[in-house]
């Protein structure tokens, strides 16, 4: 009986891990641009030769691809990419593959080092300059969902100033600045590489300034109508979060709005992904756990910011947009 149970559980673990194969296969294809290479029917030999890749490993990757439907046999030893709609677009084309890259190169290796970290009581150090470009690009996948709530705060406004702290590639700023040409937008970004990307993506828009600065060392010259802080709270030490809210409230005009995007975790009904985010962030000595809903309410109230609302951005990731208005 015990042996049967053992076998049953082992089978269950394997079955549960099957979705990983799809992600792994898509990640390798994205990273090496293989789905493009197999766009038309082609042999493995030709692809290995053209891209200078190990032919045996490529062959095995192709076999997995055929078995999970990412590739299809096309006769005469040739294969072609199949079910393209499920696969990431090539690099640089605003591809969802960047999420696979972040998961496979950053999240999963970190989570796998959990036993070692727990035994040794050591944290890793998050190499901001190395990962900032990927992380800034993956955050952009949320833009389409979160943007309307930000635009709503500007709808009636003419002129005025908007500040985006930790603006990443300035995706929100770019879209809002085009829509509200009389408002001035300033993005603050700590990573020099990401700042450069943000500058080049907004170069042709007059009402945008991108500054390479640490939000702790920056002070705006004029009071702000709207302050955005999207996917940045986990970079802020727990002890400094209340202080940051006070600081931002001080930068707002009367009736100005603070708009924050963040996953929320920490309650028993938080979805698994939000809890795993916390495992991931806690693995680094310079990243910190996500806020709870209670903390977000408390920091606002203490800083004289009335909560306007909390809205879901992505349910599975427990992502929310929280907006506050400075009390007059
Ligand atoms: C996860 S990304 C989010 C980018 C963008 N706000 C978005 O939601 O798409 C966080 C960004 O904040 C930047 N950042 C982190 N700490 C910062 C600080 N102290 N001052 C300014 N930027 C910071 C990081 O370099 C990174 O580009």
């Amino acid at each position: 009986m015990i042996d049967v149970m053992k076998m049953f559980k082992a089978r269950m673990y394997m079955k549960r891990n099957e979705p990983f194969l799809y992600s792994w296969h898509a990640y390798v294809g994205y990273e090496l641009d293989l789905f493009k290479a197999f766009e038309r029917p082609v042999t493995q030999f030709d692809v290995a030769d053209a891209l200078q890749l190990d032919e045996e490993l490529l062959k095995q990757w192709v076999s997995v691809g055929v078995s999970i439907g990412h590739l299809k046999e096309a006769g005469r030893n040739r294969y072609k990419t199949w079910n393209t709609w499920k696969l990431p677009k090539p690099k640089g084309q605003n591809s969802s593959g960047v999420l696979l890259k972040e998961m496979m190169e950053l999240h999963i290796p970190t989570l796998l080092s959990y036993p070692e970290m727990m035994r040794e009581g050591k944290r890793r150090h998050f190499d901001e300059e190395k990962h900032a470009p990927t992380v800034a690009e993956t955050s952009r996948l949320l833009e389409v969902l979160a943007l309307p709530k930000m635009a709503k705060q500007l709808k009636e406004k003419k002129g005025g100033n908007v500040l985006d702290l930790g603006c990443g590639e300035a995706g929100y700023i770019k879209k809002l600045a085009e829509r509200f040409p009389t408002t001035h937008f300033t993005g603050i970004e700590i990573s020099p590489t990401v700042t450069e990307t943000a500058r080049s993506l907004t170069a042709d828009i007059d009402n945008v300034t991108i500054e390479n600065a640490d939000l702790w060392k920056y002070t705006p010259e004029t009071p702000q109508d709207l302050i955005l802080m999207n996917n940045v709270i986990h970079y802020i030490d727990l002890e400094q979060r209340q202080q940051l809210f006070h600081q931002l409230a001080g930068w707002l005009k009367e009736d100005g709005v603070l708009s924050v995007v963040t996953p929320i975790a920490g309650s028993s009904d938080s979805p698994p992904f939000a809890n795993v985010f916390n495992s991931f962030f806690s693995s680094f000595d310079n990243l910190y756990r996500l806020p709870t809903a209670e903390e977000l309410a408390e920091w606002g109230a203490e800083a004289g910011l009335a909560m306007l609302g909390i809205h879901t951005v992505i349910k599975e990731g427990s992502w929310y947009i929280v907006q506050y208005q400075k009390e007059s």
Side-chain angles (χ1 to χ4, degrees):
M1 189 59 194
I2 284 171
D3 278 349
V4 172
M5 279 309 288
K6 202 160 70 180
M7 191 266 306
F8 180 77
K9 281 190 212 166
R11 250 179 71 173
M12 181 185 76
Y13 297 142
M14 286 195 71
K15 206 75 205 135
R16 285 226 175 127
N17 249 313
E18 210 175 286
F20 179 78
L21 307 182
Y22 291 78
S23 306
W24 168 78
H25 192 269
Y27 159 68
V28 176
Y30 168 78
E31 186 56 21
L32 299 174
D33 224 2
L34 293 173
F35 296 119
K36 186 131 197 296
F38 284 97
E39 210 164 40
R40 286 177 226 301
V42 60
T43 66
Q44 300 158 8
F45 174 79
D46 284 342
V47 171
D49 192 42
L51 300 182
Q52 292 290 299
L53 298 173
D54 183 298
E55 199 187 336
E56 176 61 22
L57 295 180
L58 178 66
K59 192 175 135 196
Q60 300 308 339
W61 178 84
V62 167
S63 303
V64 176
V66 171
S67 68
I68 63 177
H70 287 178
L71 297 165
K72 186 175 151 61
E73 292 189 75
R76 289 185 282 131
N77 277 330
R78 295 170 314 156
Y79 296 88
K80 82 183 286 276
T81 300
W82 201 240
N83 285 323
T84 317
W85 62 276
K86 283 189 193 169
L87 304 173
K89 286 204 187 113
K91 277 186 183 170
Q93 293 184 16
N94 219 343
S95 173
S96 58
V98 71
L99 182 74
L100 288 169
K101 189 173 165 73
E102 184 177 317
M103 242 163 57
M104 294 291 169
E105 294 184 5
L106 185 58
H107 292 241
I108 291 174
T110 304
L111 293 175
L112 291 182
S113 66
Y114 236 67
E116 185 191 318
M117 285 190 298
M118 286 173 88
R119 270 191 208 109
E120 294 178 6
K122 278 199 195 125
R123 299 283 189 277
R124 294 179 161 201
H125 191 75
F126 186 71
D127 183 344
E128 292 200 13
E129 207 30 43
K130 179 172 171 207
H131 298 300
T134 307
V135 169
E137 200 182 335
T138 47
S139 300
R140 296 200 57 183
L141 298 165
L142 295 175
E143 268 170 32
V144 62
L145 297 170
L147 193 81
K149 294 275 185 304
M150 296 170 206
K152 202 172 146 200
Q153 298 302 337
L154 288 172
K155 216 171 197 166
E156 315 286 302
K157 284 212 169 79
K158 288 255 180 315
N161 292 291
V162 175
L163 186 62
D164 185 351
L165 299 169
C167 67
E169 295 186 348
Y172 291 106
I173 288 189
K174 184 178 158 72
K175 294 197 177 92
L176 291 170
E178 281 166 348
R179 207 157 133 192
F180 300 95
T182 59
T183 303
H184 192 85
F185 293 81
T186 306
I188 303 300
E189 172 52 54
I190 200 169
S191 151
T193 319
V194 177
T195 304
E196 273 319 300
T197 309
R199 283 188 180 143
S200 72
L201 291 174
T202 55
D204 55 349
I205 313 175
D206 289 338
N207 52 329
V208 170
T209 313
I210 308 290
E211 295 201 24
N212 179 214
D214 180 343
L215 64 88
W216 290 112
K217 296 191 180 128
Y218 173 84
T219 313
E221 282 162 13
T222 44
Q224 302 294 310
D225 295 274
L226 173 65
I227 298 179
L228 307 175
M229 190 170 64
N230 301 324
N231 297 305
V232 169
I233 292 190
H234 55 272
Y235 290 85
I236 311 290
D237 196 329
L238 302 184
E239 274 78 59
Q240 294 181 304
R241 291 178 178 181
Q242 177 68 73
Q243 184 196 335
L244 181 60
F245 270 62
H246 273 294
Q247 177 173 313
L248 302 188
W251 292 355
L252 283 173
K253 270 187 195 158
E254 264 185 26
D255 295 335
V257 170
L258 169 64
S259 180
V260 174
V261 171
T262 182
I264 295 178
S267 79
S268 53
D269 56 357
S270 300
F273 256 109
N275 290 326
V276 177
F277 276 144
N278 271 350
S279 301
F280 172 74
F281 293 139
S282 305
S283 304
F284 298 96
D285 62 9
N286 53 342
L287 294 180
Y288 311 92
R289 69 160 176 79
L290 295 168
T292 63
E294 292 73 30
E295 284 170 334
L296 285 163
E298 199 182 302
W299 298 329
E302 284 281 316
L305 298 167
M307 173 92 70
L308 291 175
I310 298 196
H311 301 276
T312 310
V313 179
I314 293 191
K315 197 159 157 264
E316 299 81 355
S318 195
W319 247 289
Y320 291 87
I321 180 163
V322 191
Q323 294 182 322
Y324 309 82
Q325 187 157 40
K326 183 165 172 172
E327 288 164 343
S328 41

